[in-house]
Amino acid sequence: MQLEGKVQTAKMSDFFNGLELVVVDRAVIKPAGGRPQYSVRVVRGWPGLDELKELRKNNASAQDLATFAQGIPLPQEDQVIPLTVLDITGKQGFKTLICEVAQAGA
């Protein structure tokens, strides 16, 4: 599934396994009006995430992970990011979309 997400909030995951975003789907309008909002974890495709994943894989300390994560730029509010949904996690009303940044021309 493709998602054209307009960023509402962005932060690094507490576990340093991706960016946690709240996005609004710009491509869909609900029948009652408004646009659907999703909680998203970006795990691939954003600058610095692959390097952070490699540090985690090599059992870097929490301090080293936090220091590296501070250098990863977060998306700005209202920035539109093309996302590809890889998985959906969670229960009932608390679902998180696991995504990667869609590649241009994909």
Side-chain angles (χ1 to χ4, degrees):
M1 174 179 139
Q2 297 296 321
L3 173 65
E4 188 178 337
K6 181 177 177 184
V7 177
Q8 302 298 299
T9 64
K11 71 173 192 158
M12 179 57 67
S13 164
D14 294 338
F15 300 106
F16 305 109
N17 60 354
L19 297 177
E20 292 181 353
L21 310 176
V22 174
V23 300
V24 172
D25 188 350
R26 288 184 26 115
V28 176
I29 298 177
K30 293 180 185 178
R35 297 184 187 277
Q37 183 171 308
Y38 301 104
S39 293
V40 172
R41 183 177 319 127
V42 177
V43 296
R44 290 196 301 243
W46 190 260
L49 284 183
D50 289 339
E51 293 84 353
L52 184 62
K53 187 186 290 185
E54 198 61 36
L55 282 174
R56 284 191 59 193
K57 194 169 157 185
N58 293 330
N59 297 318
S61 71
Q63 181 60 43
D64 289 343
L65 291 171
T67 301
F68 185 84
Q70 286 178 343
I72 296 176
L74 296 176
Q76 298 299 308
E77 186 176 342
D78 294 335
Q79 181 176 348
V80 177
I81 302 174
L83 300 168
T84 301
V85 178
L86 305 172
D87 196 9
I88 300 172
T89 63
K91 295 180 181 178
Q92 296 172 349
F94 301 100
K95 296 200 184 299
T96 299
L97 304 179
I98 307 300
C99 299
E100 68 180 354
V101 177
Q103 302 302 315

